[in-house]
Each structure stands twice: as structure tokens, then as C-alpha cells.
Amino acid sequence: MTWALPAIAVVLLGFAGISRRVAGTPITAPIVFTVTGLLLGVEAAGVVDVHATAEIVKLLAEVTLALVLFSDAAHVDLAELRTEISLPARLLGIGLPLTIAAGFGAAAIVLGDLAWPEALLLAVILAPTDAALGQAVVTLPVLPMRIRQGLNVESGLNDGICVPLFLIVLAIAQAEAGAIGDGAAARLVAEQIGYGVVAGVVAGVLAATVLVTAGRRHALDPLWAHTVPVTAALLAYTAAVPLGGSGFIAAFVGGLTFGALRRRADVDDDNAGHMIDETGDLFSAVTFIVFGAVLLGPALGGLSWAVLGYAVVSLTVVRMIPVALSLVGTHPRAPTLAFLGWFGPRGLATIVFVILILEEPGELPHEELLLTTAVITIALSVLAHGLTAAPLAARYAAWARAHPRPENRPAPDTRR
């Protein structure tokens, strides 16, 4: 642990020095951070020798996801999305449940040792997508607005949707394994969701009130306006956890509440959104370094053909068929269907779900197999989606220009 933090700082500084040169190339930031973490980790150089169950790893992952959930939810403008809501609504309302069902079926077949609650848990863990792994797909202005915005909104919202599903299925799996009783599992889930929602609403209302009231009275310095969303996300998380609620649900609900109230009051976003995005990006970078160092190295030792096979199936068939089914009736053309189906990267949310299970080891009978499969799937996604994001996005954009439809207009340049 002595040299872990200096080593991570050096990696971040080194990447900052080449970040503009690698932007738009197949070498993405998550690839660099994951590979570097692997080389520095416990199975290689041993510089970053933190254990996966260490409190600092848990804290880093949870704070990162809380910031990302709050930011993603705060950026969702339902009024603005009404004209483009069809695609993300189908991906989330139809595609996401079908993806979980397909992942469950594939796990039961390919990883036969898993009990049915564990197979379902693995499917939920790998259901949320992470647009940051294929950043070019949601940042290239030449891409059709409907496609770009659809993937961006799907990635921003499915983390928040999957958190309560993860809590429910994890409680079922623990009850099935005898780690907790059925009654305790139901009460635990109810408390995590209920207290999480309450803490999120309170934090979102309080932060929006400060931003709106102080802003109208010209009492809020622009520098401090940047800190309001970050503070609100941390307030939501830290208020929910002592109550027994889910800090992640609190962060997501807090972001939705904060964003809705801020837009209703017509508050300028320029002074309120940048810091939380930048802080989230920095923490995400550190999380991927830690992922490579403390999770991926040990997982490679447990790699098998079954695990690798499920990882490949999870990133292809389990994602692509549900996406195709969710778009039945919209008459998508083959390249659009393939593009949407392929770009469902697995990343930050899955890493945090893995760490949450590691927090209380041994409660699931086949925990090692489940977690190894999840980690290998993330690693494969980081590599495959990262390498293909820029070239396939450029190729699809060129195809869309050559085969115009009304919905295939370029999108304005916005961030996730």
C-alpha cells in the first residue's frame, strides 16, 4: 500500500501528458488504465498491492458510482428527450429485461455449476452498460442523433435501474444459500430501496434549493456553484447508508430530483455540472487502475473455457438479440441494428457490484466462479469495445450519411 497511491498518481499524470494524442484512436483511457493496473498489480509488479476487500477499494468504487449515478440522472431532461424517447425507452423497457433473461439462460447453460439465483445475479451484474468504454460512440457529432442519444441515455439510466434489481437478486441468492433468512432478505431490500429513495429526494431538494435560491439572489459564487452537485451526491450517499438504505439508489434519485428542480427553475447549467463530471471521470480512471491491479490479475488465474465462453456470449448474443427484439416494429436497417447491439460495454457499475459481493465473502456457494466470470467479461469489454469504438463509429457515421433518413441527422456535441 506504501507505493500504491504514488504509482496511481504517476499513471494519471502520464496519461494526461498523452491524452490528446490518443483521443480518437482505438487506444482508450480504460484500456490504458486497466492494462497499467494489471502490470502494477498483485499478480505482476506488486506495486499496487491493495487487497480487493480493502476498505479503500470499496470506498473508491462506491464514491465513483455514486458520483456517476447522480451526474447521469441530473443530466436526463425528459422534456428534451420526448422527440427522441422511442429508442432509449425500447432499449431500457424491452431490451434490458430481455438481456437479463438471456444472460440468466446463458449462465445456466454455460456455467452449469451456478445455482439459479447465482446465474440470475450474474446476469443482473452484467446488464448495465458503460458509455465511457466506447466514448467515441456518444461524443462524435457526425453520428445520427437518434443513435447517439439512445445509447447515451441507455447507459446513463440502466445503472440506476439495475441497482435495486441487484440488491433484490443478491438478497434472494444469499437467502437461497442460507446466509440470511427470507424475512431478513425482504426487510433488507425494502429498507435499502425505501431509505435510499428518501435520502435521495431530500439531498436533491436541498441542493436544488441552495442553487436556485442563492443564484437568484446573486449570493452564489460561480466557483462554489460547481461544488453543489458533487456535495449533493455525497450527501445522498452518506445520508442513506447509516439509515440502512442504498447509497446508489439515493444518488440516482437525488440526481433525478436535483436535475428536475434545476430545470424547472431555469437555472443555467454552466456553473453547476462540470465539476461532478470531471470528478467522476477522475475517480473512474482510478477505479479502472484498481480493477486491473486487484481484480483482473487474480481472475486471470481462474480463467477457463467456460468463463471465457460466457464472457463472449454475454457481449454478443446476450446483448444483440434482445436489442434486435426491442426494435421490432421500428424497421431498423442491418448496420443500425448491428451498431446498437454491439455497443453495450460493461464497466463501472459491474465493477462496483463485484466489489459489493466481495465485501462479505463466502455467502454464495459458487462466488469465485461468478466473480471471475464478471471480471473477465469486463476486461474483454474494455478491450473489445475500446478498440472498435472509434473505427466503427466513423464507419457507421459514413454509412448513415450515404443512406440518409430523417432521423439520421448529426447530433449536437454534448457530454455524457
Side-chain angles (χ1 to χ4, degrees):
M1 182 62 187
T2 305
W3 293 103
L5 293 179
I8 290 172
V10 169
V11 172
L12 294 175
L13 288 172
F15 183 79
I18 62 169
S19 56
R20 191 167 185 176
R21 292 184 179 274
V22 301
T25 72
I27 306 301
T28 63
I31 291 177
V32 173
F33 295 136
T34 300
V35 172
T36 305
L38 180 63
L39 295 176
L40 296 176
V42 292
E43 301 295 321
V47 177
V48 181
D49 59 352
V50 185
H51 195 271
T53 58
E55 187 64 27
I56 191 172
V57 174
K58 174 177 175 288
L59 181 61
L60 168 67
E62 292 187 358
V63 169
T64 304
L65 184 56
L67 291 172
V68 170
L69 286 170
F70 189 98
S71 177
D72 286 345
H75 286 325
V76 173
D77 187 347
L78 295 178
E80 183 180 317
L81 286 176
R82 280 174 187 161
T83 58
E84 303 287 349
I85 197 63
S86 174
L87 178 58
R90 284 174 172 269
L91 291 175
L92 291 168
I94 302 173
L96 181 59
L98 290 178
T99 296
I100 294 173
F104 170 57
I109 295 171
V110 179
L111 305 170
D113 290 339
L114 295 181
W116 74 264
E118 294 173 320
L120 181 57
L121 182 61
L122 178 61
V124 172
I125 288 173
L126 291 172
T129 58
D130 186 350
L133 268 65
Q135 194 70 21
V137 175
V138 292
T139 56
L140 281 180
V142 295
L143 283 171
M145 178 185 294
R146 186 174 70 95
I147 304 302
R148 176 180 168 182
Q149 194 169 41
L151 289 171
N152 202 20
V153 173
E154 179 200 18
S155 173
L157 293 182
N158 62 13
D159 290 358
I161 294 172
C162 286
V163 166
L165 295 178
F166 169 77
L167 296 174
I168 292 169
V169 177
L170 177 60
I172 293 172
Q174 290 172 332
E176 187 76 11
I180 57 176
D182 293 338
R187 185 175 66 255
L188 176 65
V189 169
E191 289 176 351
Q192 293 230 353
I193 295 175
Y195 287 129
V197 170
V198 171
V201 170
V202 171
V205 169
L206 181 59
T209 300
V210 170
L211 189 67
V212 173
T213 303
R216 286 175 175 172
R217 295 177 179 175
H218 304 288
L220 183 62
D221 188 290
L223 176 63
W224 282 94
H226 287 283
T227 69
V228 172
V230 177
T231 306
L234 296 177
L235 173 61
Y237 183 87
T238 56
V241 172
L243 294 172
S246 166
F248 304 127
I249 292 177
F252 187 73
V253 172
L256 287 175
T257 305
F258 174 77
L261 293 176
R262 183 188 60 197
R263 279 185 290 274
R264 182 176 296 178
D266 196 24
V267 174
D268 187 1
D269 269 350
D270 289 344
N271 290 329
H274 296 309
M275 185 175 180
I276 191 169
D277 291 335
E278 293 163 357
T279 305
D281 289 344
L282 176 61
F283 275 62
S284 294
V286 177
T287 300
F288 276 104
I289 295 172
V290 172
F291 165 74
V294 306
L295 293 177
L296 181 55
L300 290 173
L303 183 61
S304 66
W305 286 111
V307 168
L308 182 60
Y310 183 83
V312 172
V313 169
S314 177
L315 298 178
T316 53
V317 177
V318 166
R319 161 74 181 181
M320 300 177 92
I321 293 179
V323 167
L325 292 175
S326 72
L327 297 178
V328 169
T330 64
H331 310 293
R333 291 175 290 184
T336 297
L337 208 57
F339 190 78
L340 288 170
W342 170 240
F343 283 108
R346 313 311 199 277
L348 181 61
T350 301
I351 293 173
V352 177
F353 290 160
V354 166
I355 292 173
L356 289 178
I357 294 175
L358 282 170
E359 186 181 356
E360 298 178 5
E363 293 194 346
L364 303 176
H366 305 98
E367 186 175 290
E368 185 177 351
L369 175 61
L370 187 156
L371 296 180
T372 297
T373 305
V375 170
I376 294 300
T377 304
I378 299 167
L380 187 60
S381 179
V382 168
L383 183 64
H385 288 110
L387 291 175
T388 59
L392 290 187
R395 185 173 178 179
Y396 177 74
W399 175 86
R401 287 195 302 270
H403 301 81
R405 277 189 175 182
E407 69 271 17
N408 284 349
R409 58 188 184 279
D413 191 8
T414 58
R415 293 194 63 195
R416 175 171 176 253

